[in-house]
Amino acid sequence: MWCISDFEIGKPLGKGRFGAVYLARSKETHFILALKVIFKSAMEKAQLEHQLRREIEILCHLRHPNILRMYNYFHDQTRIFLMLEYAPRGELYKELQKKKYFDDTRTATYMEEISEALIYCHAQKVIHRDIKPENLLLGLRGELKLADFGWSVHAPSLRRTTLCGTTDYLAPEMIAGSPHDENVDVWCVGVLCYECLAGYAPFEAATRLETFRKIREVNMTFPSWMSDGARDLISKILNRTPSLRLPLKAIIEHPWILNHSSSDLSMRRSPM
Ligand code: AMP
C-alpha cells in the first residue's frame, strides 16, 4: 500500500472544495502524478463519503486516453489521497476564458475526444452527469481528459435525482426530475460544443429560473460567426427528447467533425 512518504510533493495545482491537488513524484520511480488530498472531516461534514467512494470505484476501473486516470488511492488518519494522472495543460475552462472562444478545428477536436470518452464510459454503464469546461483537463498535447466523476452513476438511473450539475449544462429531463439515462451526457456535449464556439453557454440567463425555462423550450440563438455545419450538429444534439439526440457514434461521424477535427483518433479512423 502507498503512503504519503513515498512521494516528493511539488507545487499546488489547484484547490478543491475538500482539499487541494499537488504535483508529486514517486521517490522510487520518479513517476510524476497529481496527488489529490481530501480531508476526511470535510467529507463527513458534507455527508459525501458515499459519493467519494463511488467516484473512486468508478474512476479506478476506467482506462481511456481521454479520461483522467486514477492510478490508486490511500489514506491516513485524517486524509484521503487520490493518485491521479497529471494533466500538464490544466483546465479547459481557463483556456476558454483566455481565448474567449475556440475555432472550428479546436472545438471539433474536443467534441470528438469527449464523444470517444463517453462512448467508452457508457459501454461500462457509467453516466458522467456533470460535463462542463471546469471538469475537463488538458494533457501534454492539449488532448481532452474527462475528470471529476463526483456525480457519476451506474446506468440507468431510475432515481429522481436532486439537481446536480451546473445550471447551464442541465438537460431538460434533469430539470423535470425525470429518470434519466446516458443521453444526459449527450445533451452536455451539445452545450459544450456551443460554449466552445460562442464563448458562452446557449441557455445563459440572468436567473436560474429563466435558464430552466430556456432549456425546457430549447430556446437558443446562434452567434453570427458560427458556421452552418456547427449549427446543424448542435441542433441535432440539443433535442428535448433524450432518445432523439444524435448518438455519440453519429456525432463523431458528423460532416462538420470529420472536416475539422484534428484529433489523433480521427487520423486513425481515416483511410490512408
Ligand atoms: P478539484 O478539486 O478536482 O476540482 O481540483 C482543483 C483544481 O486542481 C482543478 O481545478 C485543476 O485546476 C487542478 N487539478 C486537479 N486535478 C489535476 C490534475 N490531475 N492535473 C492537473 N491539474 C489538476
Side-chain angles (χ1 to χ4, degrees), residues 146-198:
L146 181 55
D148 212 333
F149 280 68
W151 284 114
S152 60
V153 284
H154 281 282
S157 170
L158 293 173
R159 290 188 318 147
R160 292 163 53 86
T161 33
T162 45
L163 285 189
C164 56
T166 315
T167 326
D168 282 321
Y169 277 72
L170 280 174
E173 64 272 28
M174 295 281 274
I175 294 177
S178 312
H180 51 269
D181 58 14
E182 292 88 342
N183 286 309
V184 294
D185 286 340
V186 179
W187 173 272
C188 295
V189 170
V191 177
L192 182 70
C193 187
Y194 185 108
E195 183 165 359
C196 285
L197 292 168

Side-chain angles (χ1 to χ4, degrees), residues 13-21 34 36 68 84-91 94 134-135 137 147-148:
L13 294 170
K15 261 204 164 89
R17 216 151 51 102
F18 304 103
V21 184
K36 185 166 177 171
L68 194 80
L84 300 170
E85 174 183 3
Y86 171 48
R89 296 229 206 153
E91 286 175 48
K94 289 204 183 118
E134 293 89 327
N135 288 339
L137 297 173
D148 212 333

Side-chain angles (χ1 to χ4, degrees), residues 104-115:
D104 283 17
T105 300
R106 189 157 180 185
T107 305
T109 306
Y110 289 151
M111 288 308 111
E112 179 165 13
E113 291 169 338
I114 185 112
S115 299

